Coordinates of all heavy atoms in Angstrom, one line a residue:
M1390 N 0.8 -1.2 -0.1 CA 0.0 0.0 0.0 C 0.9 1.2 0.0 O 1.3 1.6 1.1 CB -0.9 0.0 1.2 CG -2.3 -0.2 0.9 SD -3.2 -0.3 2.4 CE -3.2 -2.0 2.7
S1391 N 1.0 1.8 -1.1 CA 2.0 2.9 -1.2 C 1.3 4.2 -0.6 O 0.1 4.2 -0.5 CB 2.3 3.2 -2.7 OG 1.0 3.5 -3.3
G1392 N 2.2 4.9 0.0 CA 1.7 6.2 0.6 C 1.0 6.0 1.9 O 0.0 6.6 2.2
M1393 N 1.4 5.1 2.8 CA 0.8 4.8 4.1 C 1.1 5.9 5.0 O 1.9 6.0 5.8 CB 1.3 3.5 4.6 CG 0.8 2.3 4.1 SD 1.2 0.9 5.2 CE 2.0 -0.2 4.0
A1394 N 0.4 7.0 4.8 CA 0.6 8.2 5.5 C 0.3 8.1 7.0 O 1.1 8.4 7.8 CB -0.2 9.4 4.8
G1395 N -0.9 7.9 7.3 CA -1.3 7.8 8.7 C -2.3 6.6 8.9 O -2.7 6.0 8.0
G1396 N -2.5 6.3 10.2 CA -3.4 5.2 10.5 C -4.9 5.6 10.4 O -5.3 6.8 10.6
R1397 N -5.7 4.6 10.2 CA -7.2 4.8 10.1 C -7.7 4.9 11.5 O -8.7 5.6 11.8 CB -7.8 3.4 9.5 CG -9.3 3.5 9.4 CD -9.8 2.4 8.7 NE -9.6 2.6 7.3 CZ -10.3 3.2 6.4 NH1 -11.4 3.9 6.8 NH2 -10.0 3.2 5.1
L1398 N -7.0 4.2 12.5 CA -7.4 4.4 13.9 C -6.4 5.2 14.7 O -5.2 5.3 14.4 CB -7.3 3.0 14.6 CG -8.3 1.9 14.0 CD1 -8.1 0.5 14.7 CD2 -9.7 2.3 14.0
V1399 N -6.9 5.9 15.7 CA -6.2 6.8 16.5 C -6.3 6.2 17.9 O -7.4 6.1 18.5 CB -6.7 8.3 16.5 CG1 -5.8 9.1 17.5 CG2 -6.5 8.7 15.1
R1400 N -5.2 6.0 18.6 CA -5.2 5.4 19.9 C -5.4 6.5 20.9 O -4.7 7.5 21.0 CB -3.9 4.6 20.2 CG -3.8 3.9 21.5 CD -2.5 3.3 21.8 NE -2.0 2.4 20.7 CZ -2.5 1.1 20.5 NH1 -3.3 0.6 21.3 NH2 -2.0 0.5 19.5
L1401 N -6.4 6.5 21.7 CA -6.7 7.5 22.7 C -6.5 7.1 24.1 O -6.4 7.9 25.1 CB -8.3 7.9 22.6 CG -8.7 8.4 21.2 CD1 -10.2 8.7 21.3 CD2 -7.9 9.8 20.9
A1402 N -6.4 5.8 24.4 CA -6.1 5.3 25.8 C -5.2 4.1 25.7 O -4.8 3.6 24.7 CB -7.5 4.8 26.4
E1403 N -4.9 3.6 26.9 CA -3.9 2.6 27.1 C -2.6 2.7 26.3 O -2.1 1.8 25.6 CB -4.5 1.3 26.6 CG -5.8 0.9 27.5 CD -6.4 -0.5 27.1 OE1 -5.6 -1.4 26.8 OE2 -7.5 -0.7 27.3
T1404 N -2.1 3.9 26.4 CA -0.9 4.2 25.7 C 0.4 3.7 26.3 O 1.5 3.8 25.9 CB -0.8 5.6 25.4 OG1 -0.8 6.4 26.5 CG2 -1.8 6.1 24.5
G1405 N 0.3 3.2 27.6 CA 1.5 3.0 28.4 C 1.9 1.4 28.4 O 2.9 1.1 29.0
R1406 N 1.3 0.7 27.4 CA 1.7 -0.7 27.3 C 3.0 -0.8 26.5 O 3.4 0.1 25.8 CB 0.7 -1.5 26.5 CG -0.7 -1.6 27.4 CD -1.6 -2.4 26.7 NE -2.5 -1.6 25.7 CZ -2.9 -2.0 24.6 NH1 -2.5 -3.2 24.1 NH2 -3.6 -1.2 23.8
A1407 N 3.7 -1.9 26.7 CA 5.1 -2.1 26.1 C 4.9 -2.0 24.6 O 4.0 -2.5 24.0 CB 5.7 -3.4 26.5
P1408 N 5.9 -1.4 23.9 CA 5.9 -1.4 22.4 C 6.2 -2.8 21.8 O 7.0 -3.6 22.5 CB 7.0 -0.4 22.0 CG 7.9 -0.4 23.2 CD 7.1 -0.7 24.4
V1409 N 5.7 -3.1 20.7 CA 5.9 -4.3 19.9 C 6.3 -3.9 18.4 O 5.5 -3.1 17.8 CB 4.6 -5.3 19.8 CG1 4.9 -6.4 19.0 CG2 4.3 -5.6 21.3
R1410 N 7.4 -4.3 18.0 CA 7.9 -3.9 16.7 C 7.6 -5.0 15.7 O 7.8 -6.2 16.0 CB 9.4 -3.6 16.7 CG 9.7 -2.5 17.6 CD 11.1 -2.0 17.5 NE 11.5 -1.0 18.5 CZ 10.9 0.2 18.6 NH1 10.1 0.6 17.9 NH2 11.4 1.0 19.6
F1411 N 7.1 -4.6 14.5 CA 6.8 -5.6 13.5 C 7.0 -4.8 12.1 O 7.2 -3.5 12.1 CB 5.3 -6.0 13.5 CG 4.2 -4.9 13.2 CD1 3.6 -4.9 12.0 CD2 3.9 -4.0 14.3 CE1 2.6 -3.9 11.8 CE2 2.9 -3.1 13.9 CZ 2.3 -3.0 12.7
L1412 N 7.1 -5.6 11.1 CA 7.2 -5.0 9.7 C 6.0 -5.1 8.9 O 5.4 -6.2 8.9 CB 8.4 -5.8 9.0 CG 9.8 -5.7 9.5 CD1 10.8 -6.5 8.6 CD2 10.2 -4.2 9.6
L1413 N 5.6 -4.0 8.3 CA 4.5 -4.0 7.4 C 5.0 -3.6 6.0 O 5.4 -2.5 5.8 CB 3.5 -3.1 7.9 CG 2.1 -3.0 7.1 CD1 1.4 -4.3 7.1 CD2 1.1 -1.9 7.7
D1414 N 4.9 -4.5 5.1 CA 5.5 -4.3 3.8 C 7.0 -3.8 3.8 O 7.3 -3.0 3.0 CB 4.6 -3.3 2.9 CG 3.2 -3.8 2.6 OD1 3.1 -5.1 2.5 OD2 2.3 -3.0 2.5
G1415 N 7.7 -4.4 4.7 CA 9.1 -4.1 4.8 C 9.5 -2.9 5.6 O 10.6 -2.6 5.8
V1416 N 8.5 -2.2 6.1 CA 8.7 -1.0 6.9 C 8.4 -1.2 8.4 O 7.4 -1.8 8.8 CB 7.8 0.2 6.4 CG1 8.0 1.4 7.3 CG2 8.1 0.5 4.9
E1417 N 9.4 -0.8 9.3 CA 9.2 -1.2 10.7 C 8.1 -0.2 11.2 O 8.0 0.9 11.0 CB 10.5 -0.9 11.5 CG 10.3 -1.3 13.0 CD 11.5 -1.2 13.8 OE1 12.5 -2.0 13.5 OE2 11.6 -0.4 14.7
R1418 N 7.2 -0.9 12.0 CA 6.1 -0.2 12.7 C 6.1 -0.6 14.1 O 6.6 -1.5 14.5 CB 4.8 -0.6 12.0 CG 4.6 -0.4 10.5 CD 4.6 1.1 10.1 NE 4.5 1.2 8.7 CZ 4.2 2.4 8.1 NH1 4.1 3.5 8.9 NH2 4.3 2.5 6.8
V1419 N 5.3 0.2 14.8 CA 5.2 -0.1 16.3 C 3.8 -0.2 16.7 O 3.0 0.7 16.4 CB 5.9 1.0 17.1 CG1 5.8 0.8 18.6 CG2 7.4 1.2 16.8
A1420 N 3.5 -1.3 17.5 CA 2.2 -1.4 18.1 C 2.4 -1.5 19.6 O 3.5 -1.3 20.0 CB 1.5 -2.7 17.5
L1421 N 1.4 -1.9 20.3 CA 1.5 -2.1 21.7 C 1.1 -3.5 22.1 O 0.3 -4.1 21.5 CB 0.6 -1.1 22.5 CG 0.9 0.4 22.3 CD1 0.0 1.3 23.1 CD2 2.4 0.7 22.6
A1422 N 1.8 -3.9 23.2 CA 1.5 -5.4 23.7 C 0.0 -5.5 23.9 O -0.6 -4.6 24.5 CB 2.3 -5.6 24.9
G1423 N -0.6 -6.6 23.4 CA -1.9 -6.9 23.6 C -2.7 -6.5 22.4 O -3.9 -6.8 22.3
D1424 N -2.2 -5.7 21.5 CA -3.0 -5.3 20.3 C -3.2 -6.5 19.3 O -2.3 -7.4 19.3 CB -2.1 -4.3 19.5 CG -2.2 -2.9 20.0 OD1 -2.9 -2.6 21.0 OD2 -1.5 -2.1 19.4
T1425 N -4.3 -6.5 18.7 CA -4.4 -7.5 17.6 C -3.6 -7.1 16.5 O -3.3 -5.8 16.3 CB -5.9 -7.8 17.1 OG1 -6.4 -6.5 16.7 CG2 -6.7 -8.2 18.4
V1426 N -3.4 -7.8 15.4 CA -2.7 -7.4 14.1 C -3.6 -6.4 13.5 O -3.1 -5.5 13.0 CB -2.5 -8.7 13.3 CG1 -2.1 -8.3 11.8 CG2 -1.4 -9.7 13.8
L1427 N -4.9 -6.5 13.6 CA -5.8 -5.5 12.9 C -5.6 -4.2 13.6 O -5.3 -3.1 12.8 CB -7.2 -6.0 13.1 CG -8.3 -5.0 12.4 CD1 -8.2 -5.1 10.8 CD2 -9.6 -5.4 12.8
T1428 N -5.5 -4.1 14.9 CA -5.3 -2.8 15.6 C -3.9 -2.3 15.2 O -3.7 -1.1 14.9 CB -5.5 -3.0 17.1 OG1 -6.8 -3.4 17.3 CG2 -5.2 -1.7 17.8
A1429 N -2.9 -3.2 15.3 CA -1.5 -2.8 15.0 C -1.4 -2.2 13.6 O -0.8 -1.1 13.4 CB -0.6 -4.0 15.2
V1430 N -2.0 -2.8 12.6 CA -1.9 -2.3 11.2 C -2.7 -1.0 11.1 O -2.2 0.0 10.6 CB -2.3 -3.4 10.2 CG1 -2.4 -2.7 8.8 CG2 -1.4 -4.6 10.2
L1431 N -3.9 -0.9 11.6 CA -4.8 0.2 11.3 C -4.4 1.4 12.2 O -4.9 2.5 11.8 CB -6.2 -0.1 11.5 CG -6.8 -1.1 10.5 CD1 -8.3 -1.4 10.7 CD2 -6.6 -0.6 9.1
T1432 N -3.6 1.2 13.2 CA -3.0 2.5 13.9 C -1.8 3.0 13.1 O -1.4 4.1 13.4 CB -2.6 2.2 15.3 OG1 -1.7 1.2 15.4 CG2 -3.9 1.9 16.2
N1433 N -1.4 2.3 12.1 CA -0.2 2.7 11.4 C -0.4 2.9 9.9 O 0.4 3.5 9.2 CB 0.9 1.7 11.5 CG 1.6 1.6 12.8 OD1 2.5 2.5 13.0 ND2 1.2 0.7 13.7
A1434 N -1.6 2.4 9.4 CA -1.9 2.5 7.9 C -3.3 2.8 7.6 O -4.2 2.4 8.6 CB -1.5 1.2 7.4
P1435 N -3.8 3.3 6.5 CA -5.1 3.7 6.3 C -6.0 2.5 6.0 O -7.2 2.5 6.0 CB -5.0 4.5 5.1 CG -3.8 4.2 4.4 CD -2.8 3.8 5.5
A1436 N -5.4 1.3 5.6 CA -6.1 0.1 5.3 C -5.3 -1.2 5.8 O -4.1 -1.1 6.0 CB -6.5 0.0 3.9
L1437 N -6.0 -2.2 5.8 CA -5.4 -3.5 6.3 C -4.7 -4.2 5.1 O -3.6 -4.7 5.2 CB -6.4 -4.5 6.9 CG -5.9 -5.8 7.3 CD1 -4.9 -5.8 8.5 CD2 -7.1 -6.7 7.7
R1438 N -5.4 -4.2 4.0 CA -4.8 -4.9 2.8 C -5.6 -4.5 1.5 O -6.6 -3.8 1.5 CB -4.9 -6.4 2.9 CG -6.4 -6.9 3.0 CD -6.5 -8.4 3.1 NE -7.8 -8.8 3.3 CZ -8.6 -9.2 2.3 NH1 -8.2 -9.0 1.1 NH2 -9.8 -9.5 2.5
Q1439 N -5.0 -4.8 0.4 CA -5.6 -4.7 -0.8 C -6.6 -5.8 -1.2 O -6.3 -7.0 -0.8 CB -4.5 -4.6 -1.9 CG -4.9 -4.1 -3.2 CD -5.1 -2.6 -3.2 OE1 -4.4 -1.9 -2.4 NE2 -6.1 -2.1 -3.9
A1440 N -7.7 -5.6 -1.7 CA -8.7 -6.6 -2.1 C -8.0 -7.6 -3.1 O -7.3 -7.0 -4.0 CB -10.0 -6.1 -2.5
E1441 N -8.4 -8.8 -3.1 CA -7.8 -9.7 -4.2 C -8.4 -9.5 -5.6 O -7.8 -9.8 -6.5 CB -8.2 -11.1 -3.8 CG -7.6 -11.6 -2.4 CD -8.4 -11.4 -1.3 OE1 -9.3 -10.5 -1.3 OE2 -8.4 -12.2 -0.3
F1442 N -9.6 -9.0 -5.6 CA -10.2 -9.0 -6.9 C -10.5 -7.6 -7.5 O -11.4 -7.5 -8.4 CB -11.6 -9.9 -6.9 CG -11.2 -11.3 -6.4 CD1 -11.8 -11.7 -5.2 CD2 -10.6 -12.1 -7.2 CE1 -11.4 -12.9 -4.7 CE2 -10.3 -13.5 -6.8 CZ -10.7 -13.8 -5.4
G1443 N -9.9 -6.6 -7.0 CA -10.2 -5.3 -7.4 C -9.3 -4.3 -6.7 O -8.5 -4.6 -5.9
P1444 N -9.5 -3.0 -6.9 CA -8.6 -2.0 -6.4 C -9.0 -1.5 -5.0 O -8.3 -0.7 -4.4 CB -8.9 -0.8 -7.4 CG -10.3 -1.0 -7.9 CD -10.5 -2.5 -8.1
E1445 N -10.1 -2.0 -4.4 CA -10.5 -1.6 -3.2 C -9.5 -2.0 -2.0 O -8.8 -3.0 -2.1 CB -11.9 -2.2 -2.8 CG -13.0 -1.8 -3.8 CD -13.0 -2.7 -4.9 OE1 -12.3 -3.8 -5.0 OE2 -13.7 -2.3 -5.9
Q1446 N -9.6 -1.2 -1.0 CA -8.7 -1.5 0.2 C -9.7 -2.1 1.2 O -10.9 -1.6 1.3 CB -7.9 -0.3 0.7 CG -6.9 0.1 -0.3 CD -6.1 1.2 0.2 OE1 -6.6 2.0 1.1 NE2 -4.9 1.5 -0.3
R1447 N -9.2 -3.0 2.1 CA -10.0 -3.6 3.0 C -9.5 -3.1 4.4 O -8.4 -2.9 4.7 CB -10.0 -5.1 3.0 CG -10.2 -5.7 1.5 CD -11.5 -5.2 0.9 NE -12.7 -5.6 1.7 CZ -13.9 -5.3 1.5 NH1 -14.1 -4.4 0.5 NH2 -14.8 -5.7 2.2
A1448 N -10.4 -3.2 5.5 CA -10.1 -2.8 6.8 C -10.7 -3.6 7.9 O -10.9 -3.2 9.0 CB -10.3 -1.3 7.1
G1449 N -11.2 -4.8 7.6 CA -11.8 -5.7 8.5 C -13.3 -5.3 8.5 O -13.7 -4.2 8.0
F1450 N -14.2 -6.1 8.9 CA -15.6 -5.9 8.9 C -16.3 -6.3 10.1 O -16.8 -5.5 10.9 CB -16.3 -6.6 7.7 CG -17.7 -6.4 7.5 CD1 -18.2 -5.2 7.2 CD2 -18.6 -7.4 7.8 CE1 -19.6 -4.9 7.0 CE2 -20.0 -7.1 7.7 CZ -20.4 -5.9 7.3
C1451 N -16.3 -7.6 10.4 CA -17.1 -8.1 11.7 C -16.3 -8.0 12.9 O -16.9 -8.0 14.0 CB -17.6 -9.6 11.4 SG -16.2 -10.8 11.6
L1452 N -15.0 -8.0 12.9 CA -14.1 -7.9 14.0 C -14.2 -9.1 15.0 O -13.8 -8.9 16.2 CB -14.3 -6.5 14.7 CG -14.2 -5.3 13.9 CD1 -14.4 -4.1 14.7 CD2 -12.8 -5.3 13.2
M1453 N -14.6 -10.1 14.5 CA -14.8 -11.4 15.4 C -14.4 -12.7 14.6 O -14.6 -13.8 15.1 CB -16.1 -11.5 16.1 CG -17.2 -11.7 15.1 SD -18.8 -11.8 15.9 CE -19.9 -12.5 14.7
G1454 N -13.8 -12.5 13.5 CA -13.2 -13.8 12.8 C -14.2 -14.5 11.9 O -13.9 -15.6 11.5
A1455 N -15.4 -13.9 11.7 CA -16.4 -14.8 11.0 C -16.5 -14.3 9.5 O -16.7 -15.2 8.7 CB -17.8 -14.4 11.6
C1456 N -16.2 -13.1 9.1 CA -16.4 -12.6 7.8 C -15.3 -12.9 6.8 O -15.4 -12.8 5.6 CB -16.8 -11.1 7.8 SG -15.4 -10.0 8.1
Q1457 N -14.1 -13.1 7.3 CA -12.9 -13.3 6.4 C -12.4 -12.2 5.6 O -11.6 -12.2 4.8 CB -13.2 -14.5 5.5 CG -13.7 -15.7 6.3 CD -13.3 -17.1 5.8 OE1 -12.3 -17.2 5.0 NE2 -13.8 -18.0 6.3
D1458 N -12.9 -11.0 6.0 CA -12.4 -9.8 5.5 C -11.0 -9.3 6.0 O -10.4 -8.4 5.3 CB -13.5 -8.6 5.7 CG -13.2 -7.5 4.8 OD1 -13.2 -7.6 3.5 OD2 -13.1 -6.2 5.4
C1459 N -10.5 -9.8 7.1 CA -9.4 -9.4 7.7 C -8.2 -10.2 7.5 O -7.1 -10.0 8.1 CB -9.6 -9.2 9.2 SG -9.7 -10.8 10.1
W1460 N -8.2 -11.1 6.5 CA -7.0 -12.0 6.2 C -5.9 -11.1 5.8 O -6.1 -10.1 5.0 CB -7.3 -13.0 5.1 CG -8.1 -14.1 5.4 CD1 -9.4 -14.4 5.0 CD2 -7.9 -15.2 6.3 NE1 -9.9 -15.6 5.5 CE2 -9.0 -16.1 6.3 CE3 -6.7 -15.6 7.0 CZ2 -9.0 -17.3 7.0 CZ3 -6.8 -16.8 7.8 CH2 -7.8 -17.6 7.8
I1461 N -4.8 -11.3 6.3 CA -3.5 -10.6 5.9 C -2.4 -11.6 5.7 O -2.4 -12.7 6.5 CB -3.2 -9.5 6.9 CG1 -2.0 -8.5 6.3 CG2 -2.8 -10.1 8.3 CD1 -1.8 -7.3 7.2
W1462 N -1.5 -11.4 5.0 CA -0.4 -12.4 4.7 C 0.8 -12.1 5.5 O 1.2 -11.0 5.8 CB 0.0 -12.3 3.2 CG -1.1 -12.7 2.3 CD1 -1.4 -13.9 1.8 CD2 -2.1 -11.8 1.9 NE1 -2.6 -13.8 1.1 CE2 -3.0 -12.5 1.0 CE3 -2.2 -10.4 1.9 CZ2 -4.1 -12.0 0.4 CZ3 -3.4 -9.7 1.2 CH2 -4.3 -10.6 0.5
Q1463 N 1.5 -13.2 6.0 CA 2.8 -13.1 6.6 C 3.9 -13.2 5.5 O 3.6 -13.9 4.5 CB 2.9 -14.3 7.7 CG 2.0 -14.2 8.7 CD 2.1 -15.3 9.7 OE1 3.0 -15.2 10.6 NE2 1.3 -16.3 9.6
E1464 N 5.0 -12.7 5.6 CA 6.0 -12.6 4.7 C 6.4 -14.0 4.3 O 6.6 -14.3 3.0 CB 7.2 -11.9 5.2 CG 8.2 -11.5 4.1 CD 9.2 -10.5 4.6 OE1 9.1 -9.3 4.6 OE2 10.3 -11.1 5.0
Q1465 N 6.4 -15.0 5.1 CA 6.8 -16.3 4.8 C 5.7 -17.2 4.2 O 5.8 -18.3 3.9 CB 7.4 -17.0 6.0 CG 6.5 -17.2 7.2 CD 6.5 -16.0 8.2 OE1 6.6 -14.9 7.7 NE2 6.4 -16.3 9.4
G1466 N 4.5 -16.5 4.0 CA 3.4 -17.3 3.4 C 2.1 -17.4 3.9 O 1.1 -16.9 3.4
P1467 N 1.9 -17.9 5.1 CA 0.6 -18.3 5.7 C -0.2 -17.0 5.9 O 0.4 -16.0 6.4 CB 0.8 -19.1 6.9 CG 2.3 -19.5 6.9 CD 3.0 -18.5 5.9
R1468 N -1.5 -17.1 5.7 CA -2.4 -15.9 6.1 C -2.9 -16.1 7.5 O -2.8 -17.2 8.0 CB -3.6 -16.0 5.2 CG -3.4 -15.7 3.7 CD -4.7 -15.6 2.9 NE -5.5 -16.8 3.2 CZ -6.8 -16.9 2.9 NH1 -7.4 -15.9 2.2 NH2 -7.5 -18.0 3.2
I1469 N -3.1 -15.0 8.1 CA -3.7 -15.0 9.4 C -5.0 -14.1 9.5 O -5.2 -13.2 8.7 CB -2.6 -14.6 10.5 CG1 -2.2 -13.2 10.2 CG2 -1.6 -15.5 10.6 CD1 -1.3 -12.6 11.2
R1470 N -5.8 -14.3 10.5 CA -6.9 -13.4 10.6 C -6.4 -12.3 11.6 O -6.2 -12.5 12.7 CB -8.1 -14.2 11.3 CG -8.9 -14.9 10.4 CD -10.2 -15.3 11.0 NE -11.1 -15.9 10.1 CZ -11.5 -17.1 10.1 NH1 -11.2 -17.9 11.1 NH2 -12.3 -17.6 9.1
A1471 N -6.4 -11.1 11.0 CA -5.9 -10.0 11.8 C -6.7 -9.6 13.0 O -6.2 -9.0 14.0 CB -5.8 -8.8 10.8
C1472 N -8.0 -9.8 12.9 CA -8.8 -9.4 14.0 C -8.8 -10.2 15.3 O -9.2 -9.8 16.3 CB -10.4 -9.2 13.5 SG -11.1 -10.9 13.3
S1473 N -8.2 -11.5 15.1 CA -8.2 -12.4 16.3 C -6.8 -12.8 16.5 O -6.6 -13.7 17.4 CB -9.1 -13.5 16.1 OG -8.8 -14.3 14.8
T1474 N -5.8 -12.3 15.9 CA -4.4 -12.8 16.1 C -3.6 -11.7 16.9 O -3.6 -10.5 16.3 CB -3.7 -13.1 14.7 OG1 -4.5 -14.1 14.0 CG2 -2.3 -13.6 14.9
P1475 N -3.0 -11.9 18.0 CA -2.3 -10.9 18.6 C -1.0 -10.6 17.8 O -0.4 -11.5 17.3 CB -1.9 -11.5 20.0 CG -2.7 -12.7 20.1 CD -3.2 -13.1 18.7
V1476 N -0.7 -9.3 17.7 CA 0.6 -8.9 17.1 C 1.8 -9.4 18.0 O 1.7 -9.5 19.2 CB 0.6 -7.4 16.9 CG1 0.8 -6.7 18.1 CG2 1.8 -7.0 15.9
A1477 N 2.8 -9.9 17.4 CA 4.0 -10.4 18.1 C 5.2 -9.6 17.6 O 5.4 -9.3 16.4 CB 4.2 -11.8 17.8
D1478 N 6.2 -9.4 18.4 CA 7.5 -8.8 18.1 C 8.1 -9.5 16.9 O 8.2 -10.7 16.9 CB 8.4 -8.8 19.3 CG 9.3 -7.6 19.3 OD1 9.0 -6.5 19.0 OD2 10.6 -7.9 19.4
G1479 N 8.5 -8.8 16.0 CA 9.2 -9.4 14.8 C 8.3 -9.9 13.7 O 8.8 -10.4 12.7
M1480 N 7.0 -9.9 13.8 CA 6.1 -10.2 12.8 C 6.4 -9.5 11.4 O 6.7 -8.4 11.5 CB 4.6 -10.1 13.1 CG 4.0 -11.1 13.8 SD 2.2 -10.6 14.0 CE 1.5 -12.3 14.1
R1481 N 6.3 -10.2 10.3 CA 6.6 -9.6 9.0 C 5.3 -9.8 8.2 O 5.0 -10.9 7.7 CB 7.8 -10.3 8.4 CG 9.0 -10.1 9.3 CD 10.1 -11.0 8.7 NE 10.8 -10.5 7.6 CZ 11.8 -9.5 7.6 NH1 12.3 -9.2 8.8 NH2 12.4 -9.0 6.5
L1482 N 4.6 -8.7 8.0 CA 3.2 -8.8 7.4 C 3.3 -8.1 6.1 O 4.0 -7.1 5.8 CB 2.2 -8.1 8.2 CG 2.2 -8.7 9.8 CD1 1.4 -7.8 10.7 CD2 1.7 -10.1 9.7
L1483 N 2.4 -8.6 5.1 CA 2.2 -7.9 3.8 C 0.8 -7.6 3.6 O -0.2 -8.4 3.9 CB 2.6 -9.0 2.7 CG 4.1 -9.6 2.9 CD1 4.4 -10.6 1.8 CD2 5.1 -8.3 2.6
T1484 N 0.6 -6.5 2.9 CA -0.8 -6.0 2.6 C -1.3 -6.6 1.3 O -2.4 -6.4 0.9 CB -0.9 -4.5 2.6 OG1 0.0 -4.0 1.5 CG2 -0.6 -3.9 3.9
R1485 N -0.4 -7.2 0.5 CA -0.7 -7.9 -0.8 C 0.0 -9.3 -0.8 O 0.9 -9.4 -0.2 CB -0.2 -7.1 -1.9 CG -0.8 -5.7 -2.1 CD 0.0 -5.0 -3.2 NE -0.4 -3.6 -3.3 CZ -1.2 -3.2 -4.3 NH1 -1.6 -3.9 -5.2 NH2 -1.6 -2.0 -4.4
T1486 N -0.5 -10.1 -1.7 CA 0.2 -11.3 -1.9 C 1.5 -11.1 -2.5 O 1.6 -10.1 -3.3 CB -0.6 -12.3 -2.7 OG1 -0.9 -11.8 -3.9 CG2 -1.9 -12.9 -2.0
R1487 N 2.4 -11.9 -2.3 CA 3.7 -11.7 -3.0 C 3.6 -12.0 -4.5 O 2.8 -13.0 -4.9 CB 4.8 -12.6 -2.4 CG 5.2 -12.2 -1.0 CD 6.3 -13.1 -0.4 NE 6.9 -14.1 -1.2 CZ 7.6 -15.1 -0.8 NH1 7.8 -15.2 0.5 NH2 8.2 -15.9 -1.6
E1488 N 4.3 -11.4 -5.3 CA 4.3 -11.5 -6.8 C 4.6 -13.0 -7.2 O 4.2 -13.5 -8.1 CB 5.3 -10.6 -7.5 CG 4.9 -9.1 -7.1 CD 3.9 -8.5 -8.1 OE1 3.9 -8.8 -9.3 OE2 3.2 -7.5 -7.7
D1489 N 5.6 -13.6 -6.4 CA 6.0 -14.9 -6.8 C 5.2 -16.1 -6.4 O 5.5 -17.2 -6.5 CB 7.5 -15.1 -6.4 CG 7.7 -15.0 -4.9 OD1 6.8 -14.5 -4.2 OD2 8.6 -15.6 -4.4
W1490 N 4.0 -15.9 -5.6 CA 3.2 -16.8 -5.2 C 2.3 -17.3 -6.4 O 1.9 -16.4 -7.2 CB 2.2 -16.5 -4.1 CG 3.0 -16.4 -2.8 CD1 4.2 -16.9 -2.5 CD2 2.6 -15.6 -1.7 NE1 4.6 -16.6 -1.3 CE2 3.6 -15.9 -0.7 CE3 1.5 -14.9 -1.4 CZ2 3.5 -15.2 0.6 CZ3 1.4 -14.4 0.0 CH2 2.4 -14.5 0.9
P1491 N 2.0 -18.6 -6.5 CA 1.1 -19.0 -7.7 C -0.3 -18.5 -7.5 O -0.8 -18.1 -6.6 CB 1.2 -20.5 -7.5 CG 1.8 -20.9 -6.3 CD 2.5 -19.7 -5.7

């Protein structure tokens, strides 16, 4: 997602938790301990990922793991549900599938 200027979400409370560093499309970002991947990404970027079948950007929908709108890719391949997966230090996340995947 080029031009990731600011986050879609703004953190107003619980700012004292320990920082967690992760990579989003190769750029180091910071979340807080206890954040889901969805919260971590959306406090740093305007969208979670690019839609697979069009130009739209996705940002999660149901927030409870039922709708499958929040899938995001890990750099090493497997997808995860961003709304129900805790962010972990060192995670390497992608907003699009890699070009070399079939």
Side-chain angles (χ1 to χ4, degrees):
M1390 247 176 271
S1391 61
M1393 283 195 235
R1397 178 172 292 274
L1398 302 179
V1399 176
R1400 189 181 305 276
L1401 299 175
E1403 297 188 30
T1404 57
R1406 291 183 276 140
V1409 176
R1410 299 189 187 294
F1411 67 101
L1412 292 180
L1413 183 61
D1414 292 330
V1416 178
E1417 185 175 294
R1418 304 291 181 167
V1419 178
L1421 297 181
D1424 284 353
T1425 63
V1426 169
L1427 184 67
T1428 300
V1430 172
L1431 292 180
T1432 55
N1433 284 281
L1437 178 66
R1438 65 179 176 88
Q1439 198 71 34
E1441 297 93 330
F1442 306 109
E1445 299 84 13
Q1446 294 183 336
R1447 311 305 299 172
F1450 181 71
C1451 74
L1452 306 180
M1453 62 182 197
C1456 73
Q1457 311 215 8
D1458 194 53
C1459 71
W1460 287 113
I1461 190 169
W1462 298 271
Q1463 296 180 83
E1464 196 173 273
Q1465 62 272 33
R1468 296 183 308 168
I1469 56 173
R1470 280 197 171 115
C1472 72
S1473 58
T1474 304
V1476 69
D1478 204 50
M1480 273 185 152
R1481 302 172 76 87
L1482 305 170
L1483 300 171
T1484 59
R1485 299 175 184 253
T1486 56
R1487 289 182 9 195
E1488 303 268 333
D1489 61 339
W1490 287 344

